[in-house]
Every structure is written in structure tokens, then in C-alpha cells.
Amino acid sequence: MPVKNRNIVEIFNEVADLLEVEGANPFRVRAYRNAARTVDELSGNVADMLEKDEDLSKLPGIGEDLAEKISEIVKTGELSQLKELQSRIPSERVKMTAIEGLGPKRVHFLHRELGIESLEDLKAAAEKEKIRHLSGFGPKMEKKILEGIEKLAGKKERYLLKDVEEIAEAFREHLNKVRGVKKVMVAGSYRRCRETVGDLDILAACGKDSKGEVMEAFVDHEDVVEVVSRGETRSTVIARGGLQLDLRVVAQESYGAAMHYFTGSKAHNIAVRRLGGEKNLKINEYGVFKGDERVAGKTEEEVYHKLGLAYIEPELRENRGEIEAAQKGGLPQLVTLEDLRGDLHSHTRLTDGRNTLEEMAEAARARGYDYLAVTDHSQKVTVAHGLDVKRLRTQLEEIDRFNDSSKGIRVLKSIEVDILEDGTLDLPEEVLRELDLTVCSVHYHQNMSGSRMTERILRAMDNPCFHILGHPTGRLIGRRDAYEVDMEKVLEAAAKQGCFLELNSQPDRLDLSDVHCMQAKEMGVKIAISTDAHSIAELDFMRFGMGQARRGWLEAKDVLNTRPWNEIRKMLRRG
Ligand code: DGT
Ligand code: CA
Ligand code: CA
Ligand code: ZN
């Protein structure tokens, strides 16, 4: 089995986690995380690079030692150091790192301070209120830990879209090549662009006599580690990393009906079936039937039309009013990637990005954008070497020089300025006024009460230099809950003040969420769909934000950056 970049990334991240659980030197931990990131962002395959004798130690963040480890992984599929760490550190202790808000560093701290070795120890300590007294924890954290333990017990693992994309595509291509296969698609929550997926549901259409070959190819795929079940028309396997994949093989005349059924959501399907019932039509994965006669099934359009509905895009299929809208001809014309004219949130090497301003701008131009806002961090964010007035001014001069000498892309002068605890912005108004636009974000003191957090953000919006609220709820999917904030009040204030909210496209943020996008649209607040790219490669995260925006029913007109810069500039002007 050839080793993929993804396998190396997973191994390095696990080494970093385990080292952290052990309390290793933070620089050592960071070296592994940086190396994982470097490999993750490579466009080429590491195994191929080694084959061609390329020197990996020339890559950023990868010295000779790590290059050696990579080649061990490529040769053997494993890393002896990881195995050694796994055997040394009790697995009970490692399990705790999966609790929301804990992570490896805190697990180490809890072990050092209170001797906590397992989930049971942790639960007991939290119940006896021993954790709240530790520095950096407090009663709120203690409560969250107890909730986290409960969640973990009842939780089936879900995966970020980004983490399953590669596997989904690999299987799709693999099955597409099988003789007799007409069409392959990944349906389910993946096709609906939910922010996380529980498993992948693959659908293949083929002739009767190729079914066997398709099943064979599926269970034989190089990424399969376990075959759970294998039948004539359906099979289930587990892939490396634990992800489950279901395959259904259907005849071409049923493909549309099967696509519809297996795309879901379940709630949407049930509502559609009920509607069919009212028209005396029976709907299942094989087609739409009137009595015994199949009246539709080859395409999804056909299925919807038979029921008197316009075609409903997969992202809308959550039974949130899309069926009523399709009956009345009131479906939204969903925004697409092609509608976007630029990206309004990105970082460069000057703070915590990996590429230079010029490289980022060139990459944005190559993606067909007209503008890119460079929004490095402000001074408060010391871990990212945030910009003070002096360094920001130097960057502004660099932007002027770039814009004077370059064609086809405009770099917007901007900053991701911190919203401080009291609601003031992290840089003086006089310098913020020199910028084209600002992205204002909360990074520190996220644990305040809902009313205080709301106050803090509203206060920030009073500043005439405030334009876009960055990652508005601060959530990290599966790792950190949104901070408490009254979104309705924030949206109300944004509408009144002429401010905008961001939909941050980082795959573990997707913040605003689909539901809040819908709410923003209803309240007349426009959304900036941005990547928050920290490297050239991350400019492509736009696809994840787009999925979420479409799930939130957004149309091109609801999105700020579907407009040319001239128009946006006018919209940013505050009363
Ligand atoms: P997931 O995997 O948890 O992220 O979510 P889905 O939506 O992919 O759900 P999954 O994998 O359990 O099933 C795939 C699709 O199959 C689902 O979206 C709709 C359809 N489906 C599954 N179970 C039922 C059911 O009991 N009734 C109906 N009408 N459809 C179902
Ligand atoms: Ca699924
Ligand atoms: Ca499934
Ligand atoms: Zn940012």
C-alpha cells in the first residue's frame, strides 16, 4: 500500500499529541506539528518525491531528523517512535485528549497536578470540585469537562469534510474506472456539505453483469482495512483512520431515485415521501411509482418534477422549508464559487502565515480574483507576532508598491484587529482609518458571560472603523464550543450600523454556521465568505465556506464579496 501524505500528517500529529501528553518540550512538539502542516500543504506526493531522490530536508520546517522519519514512514508504513510512545503512555490517559476543551497539554497538566490517569479519575476529580482550583481551569471549565465526558461516552465519531474529501475522491475515481460503471457519486451528508460527516454513502450505477466487479473493486481498495459486510448490491467497509463507507450499486433507470434517497437528509426524504402519498405516488430508492408502474427514477429532476416540485439543491435538503419553497417557485438561486470576486481575510509571513504578501496576491490572481484583503493579526496576538502601528505601516507601504507595479489583482489594505476585553479595538482609530477595510475578531477572553460578550461586540461595532466581524462565534468544530453571544442582537446591531459578518471557511471553523447565515439573510445583514488563509493552499478552503453558505440559503446578492471592489468600498462607508 503506497503511503499518502495524509498518513504522514496523521502520524506526526499523533506523535505531537503524545509528546504533549507526556509534557515534552514545546519546541519539540511544535516541530512535529509544523512538519505535519508542511506535508499537508505539499502539492506533490512525498512518496514520489523520495522515489525521485528529492531532498525533503529542504522543505520548510523539516530538518534531517524529520526527513529521516518521513522516509521511514514511506518505507514501512509506520514510525517506530510512535509505536514506542504508544506503548509508553497509558492509553487511558490518551483517551482524555478527546474531551472537548481538554487537549493533550491540559491532560498532561491534570496528570502532573492531580495524578489523573483516566476518564474515571477525571470524572471523580471534577465531581469533587478539585479541578476548579487549578490555574487556567475554574468552575466553568470543570462543568464543561463533566459534560465532555458524557458527550464522549455517547458520541459516534464525526469527521470534518476536509478530512474525508481525499478518501471520498479516491473511491469515486477508483470505482469510476471499473468496467461497466456508468456513474459514481458520493451522496449522504457529504453531498449536502454538512460541516461533519458520520460516514460516506457511495452510489454506483452500472449494468447487471458488472455488479460483482464493482463490489470486488470496492472491498479491494487499498485504503480498506476491514470489510464489515459484503452483499450483491450493498457493502460496508472501514477505511484507514476508522471512517466507514457504504456502497450501493443500482441500475441506471433507478439512479436518480437512489441519488435522491441516499443524499437525504432523512427528514427531507420523509417529507418528500409524505407529499408523494398525498398524490398517490410511492417513492423509494428504486423510483417513483403509481401503483406498480414506475413513473420516474432515472434522474433526480424527474423525481422532483413528478411531485410538482422544482429541483432542490442538495445543500437545501434538511426539511427547513425547502419543499414549501419548491412548491411555490420560491427556492433561492444559491451563490456559487464563480460568483466570488475576491477573498477578504488572509495572513502573510509577517504574522502567522506561511507565504509572502506577493505570493498570496499572485495565488489569488491565479484563482481569478480581482482583490485580496491582507489581514494580518494586530499586536495583541503576540503568539502570532501581531502588528503594531509601525509594522502595519511598513506593510501598507509594501501594499502600495505592489499595487503600483502589478496588474490584474488589487491587494486591499486591511488587518484582523482584535476586539479587546472591553470592546475597544487593538489599534488606534487614526491608523485604522488608513485602511481599506477591517476584520475585527475576538481571540482572547472568550469565556465571558453571554451578556458581556454581546456587549463587547456591540461596543466594538460602535467604532466607525469596524467593518466585518471575523469568525463571529469562535467555535472550533468538535474542539471548542461557540462563545456565548446573543446572535440576534449582534445581527440587529450590524444591520443598524452597516457592518458585516464573516463566514470563515477554515474547515474546522465554518463560522458563521448555516443556521446563522439564514438568520443574517432574514435580518438583511450581508456575509463575507472568506478563507482566513494562512498559506496559498488554504485559499482553496473557499469551497468549504461556500458549502455552508449554500446550506444557509445565501444567494449572490447576500454575499459581500460577490461584488467588485468599487461597490464594496461604498458599502463599507459608515453613516
Ligand atoms: P451522516 O452519515 O450521519 O453524516 O448523515 P447522512 O445523512 O449521510 O445519513 P446516513 O449515512 O445514515 O444515511 C444516508 C442517507 O440515507 C440519509 O441522508 C437518508 C437516507 N436514509 C437513511 N436512513 C433512512 C431512513 O430511515 N428513512 C429515509 N427516508 N431515508 C433514510
Ligand atoms: Ca452518511
Ligand atoms: Ca451511511
Ligand atoms: Zn484570522
Side-chain angles (χ1 to χ4, degrees):
M1 282 193 289
V3 168
K4 308 239 171 66
N5 290 3
R6 163 165 49 87
N7 307 127
I8 301 167
V9 171
E10 277 164 13
I11 289 176
F12 278 177
N13 277 329
E14 199 176 341
V15 168
D17 282 353
L18 290 176
L19 285 173
E20 229 169 3
V21 168
E22 236 189 4
N25 180 333
F27 289 102
R28 226 178 126 211
V29 174
R30 200 169 318 143
Y32 283 95
R33 293 215 197 285
N34 286 342
R37 209 165 121 188
T38 296
V39 172
D40 194 29
E41 285 170 358
L42 284 178
S43 49
N45 191 312
V46 171
D48 295 341
M49 292 166 75
L50 281 174
E51 185 97 339
K52 283 185 231 146
D53 261 344
E54 283 180 42
D55 184 4
L56 298 181
S57 68
K58 294 239 161 60
L59 294 171
I62 296 187
E64 268 173 39
D65 177 49
L66 284 164
E68 194 60 43
K69 292 194 163 125
I70 292 177
S71 88
E72 181 188 340
I73 298 171
V74 170
K75 276 191 207 124
T76 67
E78 348 176 282
L79 184 64
S80 50
Q81 180 200 12
L82 176 60
K83 295 201 138 172
E84 193 223 313
L85 280 167
Q86 282 166 334
S87 64
R88 190 166 68 219
I89 305 170
S91 63
E92 286 302 309
R93 213 189 300 167
V94 179
K95 272 189 201 150
M96 290 188 280
T97 61
I99 293 176
E100 232 172 89
L102 264 196
K105 216 186 276 173
R106 287 196 142 133
V107 167
H108 165 70
F109 185 75
L110 287 168
H111 178 251
R112 196 183 70 195
E113 296 299 310
L114 300 174
I116 292 175
E117 276 286 6
S118 64
L119 284 171
E120 288 80 67
D121 290 355
L122 182 66
K123 186 155 184 247
E127 278 167 353
K128 286 189 202 130
E129 303 190 347
K130 281 184 176 166
I131 291 175
R132 61 179 63 196
H133 308 297
L134 298 176
S135 100
F137 281 81
K140 227 173 170 175
M141 186 69 199
E142 194 172 68
K143 186 163 155 261
K144 263 191 80 176
I145 289 177
L146 283 171
E147 287 165 2
I149 294 173
E150 227 148 81
K151 260 200 215 165
L152 196 65
K155 190 163 101 179
K156 200 180 141 219
E157 195 173 359
R158 297 190 66 84
Y159 299 80
L160 293 177
L161 272 183
K162 173 176 182 279
D163 294 338
V164 299
E165 208 177 38
E166 199 181 331
I167 284 201
E169 279 310 303
F171 271 85
R172 206 179 52 76
E173 275 177 32
H174 177 70
L175 294 173
N176 238 330
K177 284 191 209 130
V178 179
R179 191 188 61 91
V181 168
K182 307 289 183 214
K183 286 172 190 135
V184 184
M185 100 158 351
V186 184
S189 50
Y190 182 79
R191 184 170 177 228
R192 303 198 312 279
C193 296
R194 261 193 77 173
E195 60 203 31
T196 59
V197 305
D199 66 6
L200 292 178
D201 307 280
I202 307 177
L203 205 62
C206 68
K208 260 207 189 91
D209 49 345
S210 338
K211 275 188 190 167
E213 270 172 73
V214 180
M215 279 304 164
E216 186 86 29
F218 180 60
V219 298
D220 281 350
H221 189 278
E222 61 187 24
D223 277 338
V224 170
V225 293
E226 186 193 335
V227 179
V228 179
S229 69
R230 179 178 176 167
E232 281 208 359
T233 56
R234 52 186 297 175
S235 296
T236 295
V237 301
I238 307 291
R240 258 201 267 207
L243 178 69
Q244 178 178 313
L245 293 95
D246 297 335
L247 172 69
R248 267 91 170 182
V249 180
V250 298
Q252 275 203 91
E253 64 264 29
S254 298
Y255 189 63
M259 266 165 81
H260 180 259
Y261 184 89
F262 292 112
T263 296
S265 66
K266 194 170 160 181
H268 173 87
N269 286 358
I270 291 171
V272 167
R273 206 181 318 137
R274 190 179 310 125
L275 184 67
E278 290 167 16
K279 298 178 187 292
N280 269 324
L281 294 169
K282 202 178 114 212
I283 301 158
N284 58 31
E285 61 264 53
Y286 303 105
V288 181
F289 297 87
K290 190 164 207 155
D292 286 337
E293 186 199 354
R294 185 208 305 267
V295 293
K298 204 167 169 71
T299 67
E300 278 189 319
E301 280 83 357
E302 208 177 79
V303 171
Y304 282 117
H305 293 169
K306 263 294 167 263
L307 295 164
L309 300 173
Y311 175 75
I312 300 175
E313 301 274 4
E315 294 92 333
L316 298 177
R317 301 182 196 171
E318 298 289 347
N319 197 25
R320 295 179 188 154
E322 72 277 13
I323 295 172
E324 294 74 11
Q327 280 175 316
K328 291 185 301 202
L331 284 171
Q333 180 83 38
L334 295 181
V335 60
T336 67
L337 282 173
E338 288 70 42
D339 291 327
L340 298 181
R341 310 289 288 265
D343 193 334
L344 296 175
H345 188 160
S346 71
H347 296 270
T348 73
R349 257 168 44 186
L350 199 55
T351 59
D352 58 350
R354 311 201 106 199
N355 293 98
T356 63
L357 190 147
E358 221 162 66
E359 289 163 348
M360 291 298 282
E362 291 298 339
R365 170 172 37 207
R367 281 157 182 74
Y369 291 150
D370 301 333
Y371 49 84
L372 172 74
V374 165
T375 55
D376 273 315
H377 286 288
S378 63
Q379 54 199 16
K380 169 83 185 172
V381 189
T382 45
V383 287
H385 199 34
L387 305 184
D388 55 19
V389 173
K390 191 160 159 250
R391 287 174 64 225
L392 174 59
R393 286 229 164 87
T394 314
Q395 188 181 52
L396 299 185
E397 284 165 20
E398 192 188 342
I399 293 176
D400 276 334
R401 276 197 301 278
F402 178 86
N403 284 335
D404 284 345
S405 63
S406 305
K407 288 199 174 55
I409 183 100
R410 181 190 180 98
V411 173
L412 302 178
K413 294 180 183 171
S414 186
I415 191 155
E416 179 176 17
V417 60
D418 256 62
I419 299 174
L420 302 179
E421 199 175 1
D422 63 358
T424 54
L425 298 181
D426 188 27
L427 286 169
E429 249 181 79
E430 64 191 55
V431 61
L432 294 178
R433 277 184 195 287
E434 293 172 33
L435 304 174
D436 291 319
L437 85 153
T438 61
V439 174
C440 308
S441 308
V442 167
H443 287 120
Y444 294 93
H445 304 290
Q446 302 198 357
N447 282 333
M448 41 175 66
S449 71
S451 58
R452 280 187 63 213
M453 182 59 88
T454 308
E455 234 355 84
R456 174 180 177 183
I457 292 174
L458 295 200
R459 167 107 202 270
M461 280 187 183
D462 284 337
N463 188 317
C465 296
F466 187 114
H467 293 132
I468 300 172
L469 178 61
H471 41 74
T473 76
R475 73 163 178 175
L476 292 175
I477 298 170
R479 285 189 290 140
R480 188 173 75 203
D481 286 340
Y483 33 76
E484 288 172 40
V485 61
D486 185 335
M487 193 46 74
E488 186 161 347
K489 281 205 179 122
V490 170
L491 286 167
E492 235 169 52
K496 185 164 140 261
Q497 302 260 35
C499 300
F500 303 89
L501 265 63
E502 175 180 87
L503 194 180
N504 187 298
S505 305
Q506 292 281 318
D508 59 347
R509 284 193 184 270
L510 297 177
D511 180 12
L512 286 187
S513 67
D514 51 359
V515 174
H516 283 145
C517 284
M518 263 176 153
Q519 197 182 357
K521 177 178 170 152
E522 263 164 39
M523 296 178 66
V525 176
K526 307 242 176 298
I527 302 292
I529 310 176
S530 307
T531 61
D532 193 359
H534 286 66
S535 66
I536 288 174
E538 288 189 5
L539 286 169
D540 293 327
F541 282 172
M542 204 58 111
R543 63 186 183 280
F544 301 115
M546 187 51 73
Q548 201 67 193
R550 290 165 61 88
R551 288 177 58 83
W553 293 50
L554 297 192
E555 305 184 70
K557 64 175 161 51
D558 303 318
V559 176
L560 188 63
N561 48 322
T562 54
R563 294 166 166 78
W565 168 239
N566 269 337
E567 216 170 294
I568 295 181
R569 182 164 42 193
K570 285 181 215 141
M571 293 168 74
L572 293 177
R573 241 171 253 152
R574 305 255 319 249

